[in-house]
Amino acid sequence: MKKSIKCNYKLLDCGEFEKLEQIGETIFRRPALQATWKRKLATDIWQQYQAKFDQYKNKWQVEPEMKLPNFKCNHLTFELKLSPNRQIGIFPEQFANWQWLQKTISQANRPLNILNGFAYTGTSTLFASAAGTSTNPTSVTHIDAASSSVKWAKQNCQLSHLENNHIRWYIDDIINFLTREVKRGNTYDGIILDPPAFGRGKKGVTWKISKDLPKLMHLIDQLLSEDPEFVILSCHDKNFGKRELRSELSKLQNLKNGKIETLNLTIKSANGNDLPAGECARWQKHK
Ligand SMILES: C[S@@+](CC[C@H](N)C(=O)[O-])C[C@H]1O[C@@H](n2cnc3c(N)ncnc32)[C@H](O)[C@@H]1O
């Protein structure tokens, strides 16, 4: 079964280190340092935004009285906020993974216990949760070190009417949390990881991908169930491309009888300038 996902998001154009995005009726103009090429759309269209992150002043400029839309994907709803770090609460480059999660979970045809680390505002958490059914429910564990992100993800869960689904929410440093999960003997059938290059955990603990990824993957290996269904490892750090991510997954002893595929995470543009935004490796059990 392949159900496609419909979202109210469009990348209108990108180039000259910025991107122009439309969500609902609202146009956002934000920095995109990887967009080194020329823009396709005319300068006057690039001026027709309602919210712009000014990278020189390092702050948002918004139209007075502007009301932010929600991001909607099928039956799921996510609140948008203008964060000081230029983010708005969603990473549309994960679209291919949301679609894959939906398909992989429904094809598994059994209840799954799923872990989402570095889970931010919960888009993958909610896609994974919604892909379960009453006969084959999913149970999702959502971990992020930032209490504001976990609060936001819970709001998205309510907006999406999934508050009765089985989701465990944790504000914690990923390494500390997973170390405790190994001690408790918990295991997972599906794991989603989208680590940043650098992050700050609870109580000042720092995450650095170059130093901490091997530790994380060692814990993941111990947390995989006897019959895992999938693992997704994506990243936005140029030192961790498809080859490195594939190699991390291939080291996991507990991933047997399956295959790894790699992909570029890209935001499709309405005007032909697709925007590369990270890379990914994912493992799936053979059918
Ligand atoms: C790039 S965002 C992840 C985006 C998310 N996967 C999505 O698709 O929406 C990185 C997230 O990692 C979290 N984070 C950073 N360091 C962490 C740590 N040590 N433990 C847990 N979460 C951490 C941040 O709070 C942030 O929400």
Side-chain angles (χ1 to χ4, degrees):
M1 179 184 51
K2 190 168 180 183
K3 275 197 257 159
S4 66
I5 296 174
K6 282 208 173 66
C7 303
N8 65 345
Y9 172 94
K10 245 195 257 172
L11 175 65
L12 300 174
D13 193 13
C14 56
E16 294 155 54
F17 310 106
E18 285 186 292
K19 58 186 169 187
L20 194 67
E21 302 163 289
Q22 180 172 358
I23 302 174
E25 299 300 313
T26 306
I27 297 182
F28 298 83
R29 181 169 168 175
R30 296 195 279 160
L33 299 185
Q34 70 277 44
T36 51
W37 47 86
K38 282 230 160 291
R39 296 169 184 170
K40 296 251 179 191
L41 296 179
T43 311
D44 59 326
I45 296 180
W46 275 83
Q47 294 307 332
Q48 291 167 22
Y49 53 81
Q50 279 78 48
K52 173 182 173 179
F53 189 89
D54 187 320
Q55 52 191 317
Y56 302 105
K57 296 187 182 144
N58 207 26
K59 61 176 190 188
W60 286 95
Q61 287 172 358
V62 279
E63 272 188 352
E65 317 273 316
M66 178 195 159
K67 191 174 174 314
L68 282 169
N70 286 330
F71 170 61
K72 293 189 178 215
C73 258
N74 286 1
H75 46 290
L76 301 181
T77 302
F78 302 89
E79 188 182 358
L80 300 179
K81 294 180 198 170
L82 304 178
S83 303
N85 64 357
R86 71 183 73 168
Q87 300 303 347
I88 56 175
I90 52 156
F91 287 98
E93 61 269 29
Q94 290 289 349
F95 185 88
N97 281 334
W98 302 334
Q99 190 129 338
W100 189 83
L101 270 176
Q102 184 171 282
K103 182 169 144 234
T104 307
I105 294 170
S106 57
Q107 281 179 351
N109 230 4
R110 64 181 175 119
L112 295 177
N113 195 24
I114 296 169
L115 174 90
N116 184 16
F118 308 99
Y120 190 44
T121 57
T123 36
S124 297
T125 298
L126 297 186
F127 269 103
S129 181
T133 60
S134 52
T135 38
N136 291 314
T138 58
S139 169
V140 186
T141 299
H142 171 113
I143 308 130
D144 198 284
S147 58
S148 54
S149 295
V150 176
K151 191 171 164 209
W152 192 348
K154 284 184 181 173
Q155 279 164 357
N156 288 336
C157 180
Q158 286 201 336
L159 282 174
S160 301
H161 307 294
L162 295 182
E163 60 272 39
N164 294 326
N165 283 16
H166 191 262
I167 304 177
R168 305 191 299 158
W169 306 97
Y170 290 95
I171 304 164
D172 210 340
D173 169 66
I174 191 94
I175 301 287
N176 288 345
F177 178 81
L178 297 186
T179 304
R180 286 202 304 279
E181 284 290 86
V182 170
K183 284 194 189 135
R184 290 190 277 252
N186 285 340
T187 59
Y188 294 91
D189 310 305
I191 296 184
I192 306 158
L193 298 167
D194 181 31
F198 179 83
R200 211 166 276 288
K202 232 170 101 180
K203 298 185 188 143
V205 184
T206 51
W207 160 266
K208 213 170 165 198
I209 194 167
S210 51
K211 173 169 78 61
D212 296 317
L213 192 62
K215 225 183 304 173
L216 174 66
M217 298 315 284
H218 180 62
L219 289 165
I220 292 298
D221 214 6
Q222 298 169 76
L223 285 167
L224 282 164
S225 68
E226 284 187 357
D227 184 21
E229 204 65 46
F230 69 86
V231 177
I232 302 180
L233 177 62
S234 57
C235 185
H236 307 254
D237 181 331
K238 61 177 176 359
N239 295 317
F240 289 86
K242 288 185 291 221
R243 200 156 56 109
E244 291 74 21
L245 298 173
R246 173 188 283 277
S247 150
E248 290 300 332
L249 291 192
S250 63
K251 282 186 239 162
L252 297 177
Q253 308 273 324
N254 285 325
L255 295 185
K256 303 173 195 112
N257 304 322
K259 65 169 193 314
I260 300 173
E261 65 173 338
T262 57
L263 59 149
N264 292 320
L265 297 179
T266 307
I267 310 178
K268 289 255 164 266
S269 165
N271 286 294
N273 272 344
D274 293 349
L275 184 66
E279 300 190 21
C280 177
R282 51 196 192 192
W283 178 92
Q284 183 182 14
K285 185 170 90 172
H286 281 313
K287 289 286 153 211

